[in-house]
């Protein structure tokens, strides 16, 4: 690398992380977590989801979370919306960026949002178009992009199709998500190669990002594989918090501190301060009442001068 390259971390702890936590975290707690992340230099945060409060009670206060967000310069806050109703709620609450979730398989769509793959495609693409008309940023998750807990391995062809549709509908970003943490670096490389061939290197760098879970301890190596294909934006979750309540086997996300340490050591800049992240982890641990930490936590905690 000739100059320091920027890699953007999109922190998903307050959404993907908390949605699976049994201990209810109140709005003030969520805002304390977000505040600590902002202080650590995180500039992209997925703060909540406008889903059914019956399906995910932890996300019932999405509108109040949006209302209380720290108004720091250059913050990019995003919220997840599963359907039209979620989009309308997010828009009324003042969201500037929405993320839709399209699972790559029939059964995963049914289990997650009670829709067929075909209806989910229609709904996601219409929300994306509407967001574009309304001047909101839109991001499209392609969930279970490598393997589905119900249907097994996913053919890359469907991922290319879904990504193309969402880009054509006007999505600003496509997030390739390994929701259950089943992918290995060779598979990640294989999919990003095909995506690069279809959409070009420039689109990969500017409009694609990746979301890995660390179920099989391969999240960091998957980040490395995606970096080689020009991906410069990654979702991660503080302390590895996370999992999807509707996808059996989805354990924690790639831990933000793991991603940041690896990226910095490899010469990339994330703008995130690791000490600040450790503080944000402490705040989050108090809220969810258990210990957090990714693969590097024992090493990080043993260092006095990180
Ligand atoms: N926000 C709040 N309430 C919603 C909603 C939304 N986005 N979408 C639907 N609802 C309400 C409806 O108004 C209706 O309420 P009522 O019974 O009081 O009239 C009820 O939920 C059922 O509506 P319906 O359209 O039949 O939804 P459903 O039961 O098929 O559930 C979802 C569909 C998408 C709302 C639900 O599955 C969901 O929220 N899933 C969340 C998935 C998730 O968060 N996954 C993890 C992240 S990927
Ligand atoms: Zn996830």
């Amino acid at each position: 690398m000739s100059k320091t390259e920027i890699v953007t971390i999109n922190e998903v702890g307050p959404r993907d992380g908390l949605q699976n936590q049994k201990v209810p975290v109140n709005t003030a707690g969520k805002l304390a977590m977000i505040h600590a992340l902002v202080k650590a230099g995180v500039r992209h945060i997925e703060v909540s989801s406008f889903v059914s409060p019956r399906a995910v009670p932890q996300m019932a206060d999405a509108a109040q979370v949006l209302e209380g967000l720290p108004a720091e310069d250059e913050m990019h806050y995003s919220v997840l919306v599963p359907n039209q109703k979620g989009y309308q709620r997010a828009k009324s609450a003042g969201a500037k960026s929405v993320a839709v979730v399209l699972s790559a398989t029939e059964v995963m769509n049914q289990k997650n949002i009670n829709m067929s793959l075909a209806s989910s495609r229609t709904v996601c693409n219409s929300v994306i178009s509407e967001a574009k008309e309304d001047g909101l940023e839109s991001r499209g998750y392609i969930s279970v992009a490598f393997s589905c807990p119900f249907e097994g391995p996913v053919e890359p062809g469907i991922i290319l199709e879904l990504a193309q549709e969402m880009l054509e509908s006007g999505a600003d970003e496509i997030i390739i998500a390994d929701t259950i943490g089943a992918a290995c670096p060779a598979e990640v490389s294989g999919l990003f190669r095909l995506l690069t061939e279809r959409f070009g290197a420039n689109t990969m760098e500017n409009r694609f990002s990746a979301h890995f879970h660390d179920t099989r301890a391969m999240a960091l190596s998957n980040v490395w594989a995606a970096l080689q294909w020009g991906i410069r934006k990654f979702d991660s979750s503080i302390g590895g918090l996370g999992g999807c309540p509707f996808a059996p086997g989805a354990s924690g996300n790639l831990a933000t501190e793991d991603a940041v340490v690896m990226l910095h050591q490899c010469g990339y800049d994330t703008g995130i301060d690791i000490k600040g992240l450790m503080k944000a982890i402490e705040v989050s641990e108090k809220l969810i009442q258990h210990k957090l930490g990714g693969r590097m936590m024992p090493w990080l905690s043993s260092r006095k001068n990180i």
Side-chain angles (χ1 to χ4, degrees), residues 16 179 211 213 253:
D16 207 5
T179 312
H211 174 113
H213 281 248
N253 289 62

Side-chain angles (χ1 to χ4, degrees), residues 15-16 19 49-56 59 80-87 89 101 111-115 143 244-246:
R15 194 280 298 171
D16 207 5
Q19 74 187 6
S49 56
F50 285 86
V51 295
S52 154
R54 234 175 297 155
V56 190
M59 296 289 122
L80 188 138
V81 299
N83 55 13
Q84 267 295 340
K85 174 155 186 175
Y87 176 67
R89 286 179 60 213
V101 194
K111 299 275 182 190
N112 193 32
I113 54 172
N114 197 23
M115 274 183 224
S143 181
C244 173
F246 307 98

Side-chain angles (χ1 to χ4, degrees), residues 9 22 30 108 112 218:
I9 291 290
K22 302 263 176 310
K30 288 169 185 154
M108 190 62 216
N112 193 32
M218 284 191 267

Side-chain angles (χ1 to χ4, degrees), residues 1-286:
M1 263 179 296
S2 51
K3 61 180 174 60
T4 310
E5 278 192 62
I6 307 286
V7 171
T8 301
I9 291 290
N10 180 49
E11 169 64 47
V12 296
R15 194 280 298 171
D16 207 5
L18 289 183
Q19 74 187 6
N20 209 23
Q21 294 300 310
K22 302 263 176 310
V23 180
V25 176
N26 65 22
T27 310
K30 288 169 185 154
L31 290 171
M33 183 179 179
I34 292 166
H35 210 273
L37 289 163
V38 172
K39 239 177 136 185
V42 180
R43 290 292 170 264
H44 294 247
I45 309 179
E46 203 163 288
V47 292
S48 192
S49 56
F50 285 86
V51 295
S52 154
R54 234 175 297 155
V56 190
Q58 189 74 271
M59 296 289 122
D61 61 349
Q64 290 90 308
V65 170
L66 276 194
E67 209 173 296
L69 289 174
E72 214 72 31
D73 282 351
E74 291 171 32
M75 282 310 300
H76 302 261
Y77 294 119
S78 184
V79 290
L80 188 138
V81 299
N83 55 13
Q84 267 295 340
K85 174 155 186 175
Y87 176 67
Q88 294 308 331
R89 286 179 60 213
K91 194 171 86 171
S92 322
K96 299 206 167 49
S97 171
V98 292
V100 297
V101 194
L102 179 49
S103 298
T105 65
E106 186 62 38
V107 181
M108 190 62 216
N109 278 290
Q110 299 281 2
K111 299 275 182 190
N112 193 32
I113 54 172
N114 197 23
M115 274 183 224
S116 66
L117 173 57
S119 341
S120 181
R121 270 167 107 150
T122 309
V123 167
C124 285
N125 284 295
S126 80
V127 167
I128 289 169
S129 314
E130 210 174 322
K132 198 172 178 65
E133 274 171 32
D134 292 338
L136 269 65
E137 184 188 63
S138 65
R139 307 167 58 239
Y141 275 98
I142 302 182
S143 181
V144 297
F146 299 91
S147 185
C148 168
F150 308 102
E151 296 189 31
V154 171
E155 281 301 315
I158 181 74
I159 309 301
L160 297 186
E161 251 182 64
L162 299 177
Q164 177 140 4
E165 265 175 28
M166 291 204 277
L167 286 170
E168 283 169 2
S169 299
D172 295 289
E173 182 182 337
I174 304 293
I175 310 119
I176 301 296
D178 181 20
T179 312
I180 55 168
C184 72
E187 288 160 329
V188 170
S189 213
L191 179 57
F192 281 108
R193 173 198 297 275
L194 293 172
L195 289 163
T196 305
E197 283 166 8
R198 170 77 67 98
F199 302 108
N202 201 35
T203 310
M204 297 318 291
E205 188 168 337
N206 296 307
R207 291 177 70 189
F208 274 78
S209 73
H211 174 113
F212 296 118
H213 281 248
D214 209 15
T215 321
R216 301 186 194 178
M218 284 191 267
L220 278 180
S221 27
N222 289 339
V223 168
W224 185 250
L227 276 168
Q228 306 316 303
W229 287 99
I231 299 301
R232 293 294 178 267
K233 188 171 180 192
F234 296 93
D235 279 7
S236 63
S237 177
I238 188 157
L241 185 65
C244 173
F246 307 98
S251 73
N253 289 62
L254 162 65
T256 304
E257 65 277 14
D258 287 358
V260 167
V261 168
M262 183 184 89
L263 288 164
H264 289 184
Q265 195 170 340
C266 294
Y268 295 95
D269 183 16
T270 65
I272 297 174
D273 166 42
I274 195 80
K275 266 192 191 157
L277 271 188
M278 297 293 274
K279 292 219 174 79
I281 291 171
E282 271 176 42
V283 171
S284 312
E285 283 175 336
K286 285 200 184 108

